[in-house]
Amino acid sequence: MPASAGFTAAHVRDQSGKTFIVTGANAGIGLETSRVLALRGARVLLGCRNAATFEAAAVDLRHSAPKADLAWMPLDLADLDSVRAAVAVAQQEARIDGLINNAGVMIPPLTRTRQGFELQFGVNHLGPFALTSLLLPKLAETQGARVVITSSIAHFKGRMEWDDLNAEAGYRRAARYRSSKLANALHLFELDRRLRAANSHIVAVGCHPGVAYTRLGRHVGIAQWAGPLVGRFLNTAVQGAWPTLQAATGDIEPGGYYGPTGLAQARGVSGPARRGESALDPVAASRLWEISVQLTGIDPGLPPA
């Protein structure tokens, strides 16, 4: 795709009257996504873990958009009780036009969520699965509302460790990250299929940021000393937000997947992106859905496709 044909923040139309939820909104791609939405007139619920990070993000955003309509949605995706509380906050809104599942963790030491799940699987997949599932009735109130699910080019090498999803038998942090990103892609695939089967007007759409230099990579050893140098060759957080913005606001195909169109999908303007065959496996997608319902105790109530 020629660069001139790609999507950037400049293509985001006026969003006045719309309300978006952005998870992980206090830094990186989430912060830059929130900035553009606020500049275009949207009300933005910033999903942040505590008041301090929300306030810092709000101050930053209002430097760019002094009239930004911002609200705090307390949210810790590593705690399903926090997810339920966040949904209660969101339900007080007049409307929700888009849920942007952006937050995630990458290659941390072995850690567990409050409910005992391996952190990457818990925060990157189970938390967004629960949040999305619980918000579907609210999203259904707004015609054409969107659920944006963020995956990664890492999903191409991902493998679902069905017999050890909770990393009880072993933990290879990079492999678990790739697995969690494959889980995101499978969630997108299955959510789209089930929404269609239910004749829902909610739209599921996916994206990935390419390779962006953000705090997400703080656990990657090379980033601690070579990050500023390597970052010159990667997407910035501003550029990394373009696929998210396209998925949330652009002219897209329901169930579509968007990302950078440059070399190896690593950087550049946004457009339609490729998915690996494993991300389009209906058997695996359905299996992950049912397991996610069992683990979270939250059933979206959507019929099988």
Side-chain angles (χ1 to χ4, degrees), residues 32-49:
E32 298 308 324
T33 297
S34 300
R35 191 186 314 280
V36 175
L37 293 173
L39 283 167
R40 299 298 188 274
R43 175 171 169 78
V44 186
L45 273 63
L46 307 181
C48 305
R49 284 183 292 179

Side-chain angles (χ1 to χ4, degrees), residues 153 208-212 233-235 240 259-268:
I153 54 177
H208 77 88
V211 183
F233 303 96
L234 307 180
N235 266 349
T261 57
L263 181 64
Q265 300 191 86
R267 61 177 296 171

Side-chain angles (χ1 to χ4, degrees), residues 114-164:
R114 184 176 179 186
Q115 284 73 33
F117 305 118
E118 185 274 314
L119 189 69
Q120 294 184 94
F121 185 61
V123 169
N124 294 354
H125 170 64
L126 291 178
F129 176 87
L131 182 64
T132 298
S133 299
L134 291 170
L135 278 174
L136 287 178
K138 183 64 181 179
L139 288 161
E141 295 174 5
T142 301
Q143 184 71 32
R146 297 185 188 184
V147 175
V148 178
I149 298 175
T150 305
S151 184
S152 164
I153 54 177
H155 88 267
F156 280 97
K157 294 185 178 180
R159 181 175 65 87
M160 298 306 302
E161 300 191 41
W162 298 112
D163 295 328
D164 189 31

Side-chain angles (χ1 to χ4, degrees), residues 29 209 211-214 231 234-241:
I29 289 169
V211 183
Y213 180 53
T214 71
L234 307 180
N235 266 349
T236 63
V238 170
Q239 295 166 325

Side-chain angles (χ1 to χ4, degrees), residues 129 187 190-191 194 285-293 300:
F129 176 87
H187 181 203
E190 187 68 7
L191 179 61
R194 292 189 180 232
S286 179
R287 182 179 184 182
L288 179 63
W289 184 279
E290 297 302 333
I291 289 173
S292 301
V293 170

Side-chain angles (χ1 to χ4, degrees), residues 158-198:
R159 181 175 65 87
M160 298 306 302
E161 300 191 41
W162 298 112
D163 295 328
D164 189 31
L165 288 174
N166 204 33
E168 301 288 349
Y171 180 70
R172 293 179 299 135
R173 60 176 74 184
R176 292 288 172 170
Y177 177 71
R178 293 191 292 267
S179 175
S180 74
K181 292 289 102 181
L182 175 57
N184 291 147
L186 289 170
H187 181 203
L188 165 64
F189 182 66
E190 187 68 7
L191 179 61
D192 174 60
R193 293 202 310 156
R194 292 189 180 232
L195 288 171
R196 291 173 189 265

Side-chain angles (χ1 to χ4, degrees), residues 61-82:
L61 293 173
R62 288 194 172 109
H63 280 310
S64 305
K67 297 182 179 180
D69 185 1
L70 308 173
W72 179 31
M73 189 181 81
L75 174 66
D76 181 355
L77 288 169
D79 182 358
L80 294 178
D81 291 335
S82 174

